[in-house]
Structures are given as C-alpha cells and as structure tokens.
Amino acid sequence: MTEEQKMIYELLVELDEICSNHNLNYFLSPRMTLSIYARHELPASPLQGVLFLPVHQMEQFRLAVEQDKREDRYLDSMYDNPRYPNFSFRYTNTQSLCYCLNKGRNLRYPGIGIDICPIRPVYDVKEKGFSYRYLMGLECGWKQTCDLHKEMFSFQDRLWKIWVMILSAFGKEAFGRKLYRKLCTCFSQEVHGETGIERPQWQYYQAGRFDGTARLALEDHSFLVPKDMEGYLTEHYGEEYKKKAKTSFETPLVWMISPRISCQEFFEQAGDLSRMIRARRRLNVRDEKTQKYRQSFLDGWEICKQAAERQ
C-alpha cells in the first residue's frame, strides 16, 4: 500500500469499528468494492474513499462518531460547518492534506478522509408536493453559498441561493443544522422504489439493493458490502465490471495531497489563499458556457460508448 492507501485503510477500520459498536450499517462504494474484490487493494486514488450510509442512520452515526471521538480526527458536515456544501459527512485525518483549489474554504480540515454519502429514497416530486420541492430548493440554494466553482445552476436555482442567504441572515450555522435535520426527517421514510446517492453526480440503484450485508476482506480486516455484491457491481459498471478496476492515479493540478503535511501546517505556510480562490472563481464563471457545451459532448460520448458495448 502507498502511504495514502494506508491512511484510508486506517480510517476505514475506525469507521467499521464505530458502526459495529453502535449497530449501524454502511456499504463500501462501487469503486472501493470493485478494487478490493478484483485487485485485493484499495483504489489508487485517495479521492475514492467513499462509504454509503442509510439516511435514517445519519444522525445516529454522527452521534456515534462524537461519542467515540478519536485524536486527529474530524467529522465535517453542514450540521456544524456553515460552508460544508452537501448533505453528507467527511471523516478526516487532520494531520494530512487533501486540498482542492476549486473547493476553496468548504472543509474545516481538508485532509485525507472518507466521504460518507446518504442512501436516499427517490421520490416522485408531484406526489410529495410543495413541502418536498421547497426543501430540495433550500438544499440547492445551500450548495450555491459554498465554493463549488464547477457547478452550473439555472436562473431559477440561483433564486434559491438568495432565499437561503435571507433565511441564514441571523446565523448560517443554525440554519445549516435546521436544514440537516429536515433532510434527515424527509428521507428517513420507508423505501419502496429506487434509491439515489449523490457522489458527485447522482447514482441510482434498484429497490432492495442495500437490504442485506456481506463482508469483504482486505488485509486483516473486513468491510460491509451489499449482500448481492456481484449484482451491485453489475448494476453500477455493467457485466464486464472487472475490467473497470483502475490501477493508477495522477494527482489533478488543482489538488494538493500529502499524508505527511497537516492541513493546518499547509495553510500556515501558504498564507491567505482567498485572492487565488476568487480569481479561480472568476475564471470558471467566465468559462461556464464552454464547460456546459463540453459536458454535453462528454455525456453524449458516454451514451455512444454504452450503446457500442451493448452491440
């Protein structure tokens, strides 16, 4: 294992122990499951440390991590970080560095860590009515108040940003906690249809995919995966999923990753990065139209490749 993989492995073991002690279920993401199953190792990329957690266990998990709080660890979320952009958690080793210029000040401790994404039921918007649409609008507006340079939003979506800024005028941290609790309540109902996970694009799985658990071993520990692991991988990657296991990783230019430098030490040496962050935001906004056409092309190309594989 590389130093980054060892750190991810250590965090995984800690999270598995916390969940076992508190009778909570989680699931390795498809990328992690495939890498361990096909290559008996963690993904080469330290950005692929991802777990899925049933949404009705989100609050139990947060309290469990707080109860079993460990040295040099931090659980980041919108619950206590007014700049955290998503309805999810990030469990971080604060004595490491994993910082992205495009994400600015989103994380309190941008170190190597594990993203914990909620498994949400997929609802019919018309069936759920106004209150559901309103809550989804607040979540969309919340994202826009954070540093997400590559995200593109419609004019209607941008109106939600204004409304969130108004609602959080007397304290964004308090508003974040309220929104977090409402999202937990909204998605904690029984699942009858598809489930969805935002990572970073939406991924959808058939009903019952996460009903049972199995153990997948790596080194001297094992981790939870869906009971029908091969069906899980097939649904996500297709029949030839074993060929999709990546063996290498090149650090993108906008990322700074190191298991030897703490994020606090990095910011002390780098100084104030706000000017650089604002400059990158302006460049991304200027290039927004080009990015939109490029994404449309990439989406079309993916559809063409999938059609060719079926033939």
Side-chain angles (χ1 to χ4, degrees), residues 131-308:
S131 60
Y132 176 74
R133 292 196 300 272
Y134 180 74
L135 186 59
M136 294 303 96
L138 292 180
E139 185 182 10
C140 178
W142 174 274
K143 291 180 182 180
Q144 295 174 71
T145 63
C146 306
D147 292 323
L148 294 174
H149 297 182
K150 295 293 182 180
E151 297 280 347
M152 290 178 287
F153 298 94
S154 67
F155 175 75
Q156 185 176 2
D157 290 340
R158 290 172 181 171
L159 295 178
W160 283 109
K161 176 183 177 180
I162 298 173
W163 185 236
V164 167
M165 292 174 68
I166 293 172
L167 292 177
S168 57
F170 296 102
K172 194 181 178 191
E173 187 168 338
F175 176 76
R177 292 189 177 190
K178 186 176 181 180
L179 179 59
Y180 164 84
R181 292 193 180 100
K182 284 187 174 182
L183 289 169
C184 285
T185 302
C186 174
F187 290 105
S188 292
Q189 300 174 19
E190 187 176 353
V191 180
H192 296 289
E194 275 189 321
T195 53
I197 298 162
E198 188 178 13
R199 174 57 194 169
Q201 304 298 324
W202 280 95
Q203 303 169 5
Y204 297 99
Y205 300 93
Q206 65 186 25
R209 174 61 66 201
F210 300 101
D211 283 352
T213 62
R215 284 272 173 182
L216 184 61
L218 177 64
E219 299 288 331
D220 58 351
H221 207 86
S222 63
F223 306 98
L224 292 179
V225 294
K227 187 175 182 180
D228 182 10
M229 183 181 64
E230 293 192 354
Y232 176 53
L233 294 174
T234 300
E235 184 175 9
H236 188 83
Y237 290 110
E239 293 291 340
E240 298 184 347
Y241 57 81
K242 288 187 178 180
K243 296 181 180 179
K244 305 291 179 68
K246 296 182 179 180
T247 59
S248 61
F249 169 71
E250 292 184 7
T251 305
L253 294 176
V254 295
W255 283 89
M256 286 155 280
I257 302 172
S258 173
R260 302 183 181 183
I261 301 173
S262 71
C263 46
Q264 297 98 321
E265 182 181 352
F266 169 77
F267 286 118
E268 286 174 5
Q269 295 181 5
D272 186 9
L273 297 175
S274 57
R275 180 178 295 182
M276 182 186 296
I277 292 170
R278 287 196 298 269
R280 288 194 60 79
R281 184 184 294 113
R282 286 195 295 270
L283 287 173
N284 280 307
V285 170
R286 193 181 306 165
D287 198 38
E288 184 174 332
K289 190 173 182 179
T290 303
Q291 292 176 33
K292 184 177 180 180
Y293 287 125
R294 179 176 179 273
Q295 188 60 47
S296 298
F297 172 79
L298 292 176
D299 292 342
W301 181 242
E302 284 298 322
I303 294 172
C304 291
K305 288 195 294 184
Q306 291 173 10

Side-chain angles (χ1 to χ4, degrees), residues 8-27:
I8 292 290
Y9 180 78
E10 183 181 352
L11 294 173
L12 280 175
V13 171
E14 291 176 11
L15 290 174
D16 179 73
E17 291 174 350
I18 290 172
C19 289
S20 296
N21 292 339
H22 294 270
N23 298 316
L24 301 174
N25 286 336
Y26 68 88
F27 302 91

Side-chain angles (χ1 to χ4, degrees), residues 16-78:
D16 179 73
E17 291 174 350
I18 290 172
C19 289
S20 296
N21 292 339
H22 294 270
N23 298 316
L24 301 174
N25 286 336
Y26 68 88
F27 302 91
L28 296 179
S29 69
R31 173 61 63 193
M32 298 194 80
T33 302
L34 176 60
S35 185
I36 296 173
Y37 179 61
R39 300 186 55 80
H40 308 290
E41 64 180 12
L42 289 172
S45 169
L47 307 179
Q48 292 294 336
V50 183
L51 301 181
F52 297 159
L53 184 74
V55 71
H56 67 272
Q57 295 184 356
M58 289 281 286
E59 182 60 8
Q60 293 172 266
F61 175 81
R62 187 187 68 80
L63 294 174
V65 174
E66 288 296 318
Q67 181 179 331
D68 297 352
K69 196 167 185 180
R70 310 193 181 195
E71 188 178 359
D72 301 332
R73 301 292 185 263
Y74 185 74
L75 186 68
D76 216 345
S77 71
M78 64 163 59

